[in-house]
Amino acid sequence: MSERADYVARNRDAWTRTNEEFTDEQSRSAWAAERITWGVFGVPEDEVGLLGDVDGLDVVELGCGTAYVSAWLARRGARPVGVDVTPAQLETARRRMAETGIEFPLVEASAEDVPLPDASFDLAVSEYGASLWCDPVRWLTEAARLLRPRGRLVFLTNSMLVTLCVPDVGIATESLMRPQRGMYRVEWPEEEGVEFHVGHGEWIDLLHGAGFEIERLAELYAPEGAADHAYYDIASAEWARKWPVEDLWAARKTG
């Protein structure tokens, strides 16, 4: 329990500071975006085709941050609920709601322990939320609990390859920097937060163990013409055009 509290508290503190570094204009721009896109380099969902029609669906976003993904889904007819452990992030989301008139519930909680009823949602989504910052065993089990029978889970996280190629300080190289074997909880020397990274085989085992069948894995590259991200600099656009920088998973609850 103390170990769990350690990374939850550390990640909350890290994202409180990150929220201070982002201007309201940056979150405002994300909320206003017309297209649903994925990840650091903005890969369009209408090209990936993994999310599907969300009109009329009850959706829970696990680790929603400023909740721009939930806002995108709400504009397309979904009924989202955003869950995040960081009060500052949720407060930014509330400011965007007041400006845009797009409103949906926000819940302050860890995605590993969500105070919402069983079988309440048709879709669970995480874009670099729970999928990166929570223990996979815990948050996948919680996602399965929250979903109705045959409900879907869609989540995005770093590829294992980019994680293996990032040095302790700096961005992805063209060489392996660390072993994959034994990787799970990852702490970077100059970062306060705690991340969780597992390979494809382990993701498959964890998803099956939580009660999901896998529908698809899309490995995402930077689109042609994409520029380096101003803040999330895990890899350059040049690197990400050659190797997958992110994994986008879709799975369905079996029961």
Side-chain angles (χ1 to χ4, degrees), residues 133-184:
W133 303 99
C134 293
D135 186 321
V137 172
R138 294 179 181 274
W139 82 263
L140 288 176
T141 300
E142 190 69 341
R145 181 188 69 80
L146 292 167
L147 286 170
R148 296 176 178 131
R150 304 302 293 167
R152 297 182 74 231
L153 170 66
V154 174
F155 66 94
L156 179 85
T157 190
N158 298 124
S159 70
M160 175 54 74
L161 181 59
V162 76
T163 306
L164 295 177
C165 290
V166 174
D168 285 346
V169 179
I171 66 173
T173 70
E174 296 191 6
S175 301
L176 298 176
M177 296 286 107
R178 59 184 41 78
Q180 178 174 336
R181 188 173 188 176
M183 185 178 292
Y184 194 79

Side-chain angles (χ1 to χ4, degrees), residues 8-24:
V8 172
R10 285 174 58 178
N11 288 340
R12 183 190 299 115
D13 290 345
W15 277 100
T16 299
R17 275 184 277 280
T18 298
N19 184 269
E20 294 171 355
E21 295 171 7
F22 278 95
T23 66
D24 270 3

Side-chain angles (χ1 to χ4, degrees), residues 24-252:
D24 270 3
E25 188 57 39
Q26 288 169 307
S27 63
R28 189 176 290 115
S29 175
W31 269 64
E34 291 296 323
R35 303 174 83 184
I36 294 178
T37 60
W38 295 108
V40 171
F41 298 105
V43 178
E45 161 60 22
D46 54 17
E47 295 180 9
V48 179
L50 189 144
L51 190 59
D53 184 9
V54 299
D55 187 24
L57 298 186
D58 294 313
V59 182
V60 60
E61 185 182 359
L62 298 172
C64 68
T66 59
Y68 57 86
V69 173
S70 287
W72 295 345
L73 299 178
R75 286 203 299 271
R76 289 158 175 81
R79 296 182 293 271
V81 175
V83 177
D84 201 274
V85 75
T86 306
Q89 295 279 76
L90 297 177
E91 185 55 38
T92 297
R94 293 187 184 97
R95 291 198 300 273
R96 300 291 79 79
M97 287 185 186
E99 292 173 356
T100 63
I102 302 170
E103 296 186 355
F104 46 85
L106 297 172
V107 177
E108 182 185 333
S110 168
E112 299 176 4
D113 187 14
V114 181
L116 294 172
D118 296 358
S120 297
F121 299 95
D122 306 299
L123 174 66
V125 177
S126 180
E127 191 212 30
Y128 279 133
S131 54
L132 180 62
W133 303 99
C134 293
D135 186 321
V137 172
R138 294 179 181 274
W139 82 263
L140 288 176
T141 300
E142 190 69 341
R145 181 188 69 80
L146 292 167
L147 286 170
R148 296 176 178 131
R150 304 302 293 167
R152 297 182 74 231
L153 170 66
V154 174
F155 66 94
L156 179 85
T157 190
N158 298 124
S159 70
M160 175 54 74
L161 181 59
V162 76
T163 306
L164 295 177
C165 290
V166 174
D168 285 346
V169 179
I171 66 173
T173 70
E174 296 191 6
S175 301
L176 298 176
M177 296 286 107
R178 59 184 41 78
Q180 178 174 336
R181 188 173 188 176
M183 185 178 292
Y184 194 79
R185 172 174 167 150
V186 177
E187 302 176 48
W188 304 100
E190 295 188 355
E191 301 292 335
E192 182 178 7
V194 177
E195 301 175 2
F196 292 87
H197 296 278
V198 299
H200 292 163
E202 192 164 0
W203 274 123
I204 291 169
D205 289 344
L206 290 170
L207 284 161
H208 287 168
F212 290 99
E213 59 186 23
I214 296 161
E215 293 185 333
R216 188 175 164 200
L217 166 62
E219 295 177 298
L220 303 188
Y221 298 79
E224 290 301 323
D228 293 351
H229 198 282
Y231 187 86
Y232 296 114
D233 56 354
I234 189 171
S236 68
E238 180 183 6
W239 190 99
R241 278 191 287 270
K242 294 184 284 187
W243 297 284
V245 69
E246 290 155 332
D247 290 339
L248 179 60
W249 292 85
R252 189 176 294 274

